[in-house]
mmCIF file of all heavy atoms in Angstrom:
data_model
loop_
_atom_site.group_PDB
_atom_site.id
_atom_site.type_symbol
_atom_site.label_atom_id
_atom_site.label_comp_id
_atom_site.label_asym_id
_atom_site.label_seq_id
_atom_site.Cartn_x
_atom_site.Cartn_y
_atom_site.Cartn_z
ATOM 1 N N ARG W 43 0.757 17.375 -63.045
ATOM 2 C CA ARG W 43 1.564 18.110 -62.081
ATOM 3 C C ARG W 43 1.031 19.562 -61.888
ATOM 4 O O ARG W 43 0.889 20.003 -60.756
ATOM 5 C CB ARG W 43 3.024 18.232 -62.616
ATOM 6 C CG ARG W 43 4.040 18.856 -61.662
ATOM 7 C CD ARG W 43 5.352 19.094 -62.316
ATOM 8 N NE ARG W 43 5.245 20.039 -63.403
ATOM 9 C CZ ARG W 43 5.156 21.349 -63.233
ATOM 10 N NH1 ARG W 43 5.101 21.894 -62.006
ATOM 11 N NH2 ARG W 43 5.078 22.180 -64.280
ATOM 12 N N LYS W 44 0.662 20.200 -62.948
ATOM 13 C CA LYS W 44 0.121 21.554 -62.837
ATOM 14 C C LYS W 44 -1.234 21.601 -62.133
ATOM 15 O O LYS W 44 -1.576 22.508 -61.385
ATOM 16 C CB LYS W 44 0.045 22.223 -64.236
ATOM 17 C CG LYS W 44 1.387 22.646 -64.758
ATOM 18 C CD LYS W 44 1.293 23.205 -66.142
ATOM 19 C CE LYS W 44 2.648 23.547 -66.727
ATOM 20 N NZ LYS W 44 2.580 23.926 -68.111
ATOM 21 N N ARG W 45 -2.046 20.588 -62.398
ATOM 22 C CA ARG W 45 -3.398 20.476 -61.832
ATOM 23 C C ARG W 45 -3.404 20.100 -60.344
ATOM 24 O O ARG W 45 -4.179 20.587 -59.567
ATOM 25 C CB ARG W 45 -4.237 19.554 -62.615
ATOM 26 C CG ARG W 45 -5.715 19.591 -62.207
ATOM 27 C CD ARG W 45 -6.620 18.790 -63.113
ATOM 28 N NE ARG W 45 -6.637 19.435 -64.452
ATOM 29 C CZ ARG W 45 -7.056 18.910 -65.564
ATOM 30 N NH1 ARG W 45 -7.504 17.669 -65.522
ATOM 31 N NH2 ARG W 45 -7.037 19.540 -66.699
ATOM 32 N N HIS W 46 -2.478 19.135 -60.015
ATOM 33 C CA HIS W 46 -2.570 18.511 -58.618
ATOM 34 C C HIS W 46 -1.295 18.689 -57.840
ATOM 35 O O HIS W 46 -1.251 18.191 -56.692
ATOM 36 C CB HIS W 46 -2.907 17.057 -58.748
ATOM 37 C CG HIS W 46 -4.219 16.807 -59.500
ATOM 38 N ND1 HIS W 46 -5.460 17.167 -58.903
ATOM 39 C CD2 HIS W 46 -4.531 16.287 -60.673
ATOM 40 C CE1 HIS W 46 -6.444 16.897 -59.775
ATOM 41 N NE2 HIS W 46 -5.896 16.319 -60.858
ATOM 42 N N GLY W 47 -0.252 19.234 -58.426
ATOM 43 C CA GLY W 47 0.977 19.484 -57.667
ATOM 44 C C GLY W 47 2.075 18.462 -57.929
ATOM 45 O O GLY W 47 1.879 17.371 -58.429
ATOM 46 N N ASP W 48 3.274 18.887 -57.528
ATOM 47 C CA ASP W 48 4.474 18.053 -57.829
ATOM 48 C C ASP W 48 4.426 16.729 -57.018
ATOM 49 O O ASP W 48 4.798 15.657 -57.492
ATOM 50 C CB ASP W 48 5.784 18.791 -57.447
ATOM 51 C CG ASP W 48 6.115 19.841 -58.462
ATOM 52 O OD1 ASP W 48 5.412 20.040 -59.510
ATOM 53 O OD2 ASP W 48 7.147 20.516 -58.303
ATOM 54 N N ALA W 49 4.045 16.810 -55.703
ATOM 55 C CA ALA W 49 4.000 15.616 -54.892
ATOM 56 C C ALA W 49 3.068 14.573 -55.446
ATOM 57 O O ALA W 49 3.380 13.433 -55.439
ATOM 58 C CB ALA W 49 3.640 16.026 -53.465
ATOM 59 N N HIS W 50 1.890 15.039 -55.913
ATOM 60 C CA HIS W 50 0.928 14.125 -56.465
ATOM 61 C C HIS W 50 1.479 13.465 -57.748
ATOM 62 O O HIS W 50 1.402 12.222 -57.885
ATOM 63 C CB HIS W 50 -0.362 14.902 -56.840
ATOM 64 C CG HIS W 50 -1.374 14.081 -57.531
ATOM 65 N ND1 HIS W 50 -2.313 13.266 -56.839
ATOM 66 C CD2 HIS W 50 -1.659 13.916 -58.854
ATOM 67 C CE1 HIS W 50 -3.041 12.662 -57.720
ATOM 68 N NE2 HIS W 50 -2.720 13.068 -58.933
ATOM 69 N N ALA W 51 2.071 14.293 -58.620
ATOM 70 C CA ALA W 51 2.628 13.740 -59.870
ATOM 71 C C ALA W 51 3.728 12.725 -59.528
ATOM 72 O O ALA W 51 3.849 11.708 -60.143
ATOM 73 C CB ALA W 51 3.220 14.870 -60.733
ATOM 74 N N ARG W 52 4.564 13.060 -58.548
ATOM 75 C CA ARG W 52 5.652 12.163 -58.152
ATOM 76 C C ARG W 52 5.050 10.840 -57.665
ATOM 77 O O ARG W 52 5.579 9.730 -57.960
ATOM 78 C CB ARG W 52 6.452 12.827 -57.067
ATOM 79 C CG ARG W 52 7.833 12.340 -56.921
ATOM 80 C CD ARG W 52 8.659 13.187 -55.995
ATOM 81 N NE ARG W 52 9.505 14.087 -56.822
ATOM 82 C CZ ARG W 52 9.292 15.396 -56.975
ATOM 83 N NH1 ARG W 52 8.304 15.977 -56.383
ATOM 84 N NH2 ARG W 52 10.104 16.085 -57.758
ATOM 85 N N PHE W 53 4.003 10.841 -56.879
ATOM 86 C CA PHE W 53 3.367 9.639 -56.349
ATOM 87 C C PHE W 53 2.762 8.831 -57.474
ATOM 88 O O PHE W 53 2.856 7.583 -57.463
ATOM 89 C CB PHE W 53 2.321 10.021 -55.312
ATOM 90 C CG PHE W 53 1.810 8.835 -54.476
ATOM 91 C CD1 PHE W 53 2.604 8.350 -53.452
ATOM 92 C CD2 PHE W 53 0.589 8.327 -54.681
ATOM 93 C CE1 PHE W 53 2.175 7.241 -52.715
ATOM 94 C CE2 PHE W 53 0.168 7.249 -53.957
ATOM 95 C CZ PHE W 53 0.939 6.697 -52.954
ATOM 96 N N VAL W 54 2.211 9.439 -58.470
ATOM 97 C CA VAL W 54 1.597 8.757 -59.584
ATOM 98 C C VAL W 54 2.733 7.986 -60.348
ATOM 99 O O VAL W 54 2.605 6.779 -60.626
ATOM 100 C CB VAL W 54 0.906 9.747 -60.562
ATOM 101 C CG1 VAL W 54 0.599 9.039 -61.913
ATOM 102 C CG2 VAL W 54 -0.360 10.274 -59.925
#
Side-chain angles (χ1 to χ4, degrees):
R43 185 190 64 77
K44 286 176 182 173
R45 188 170 295 165
H46 301 293
D48 286 0
H50 176 85
R52 201 170 263 105
F53 193 75
V54 168

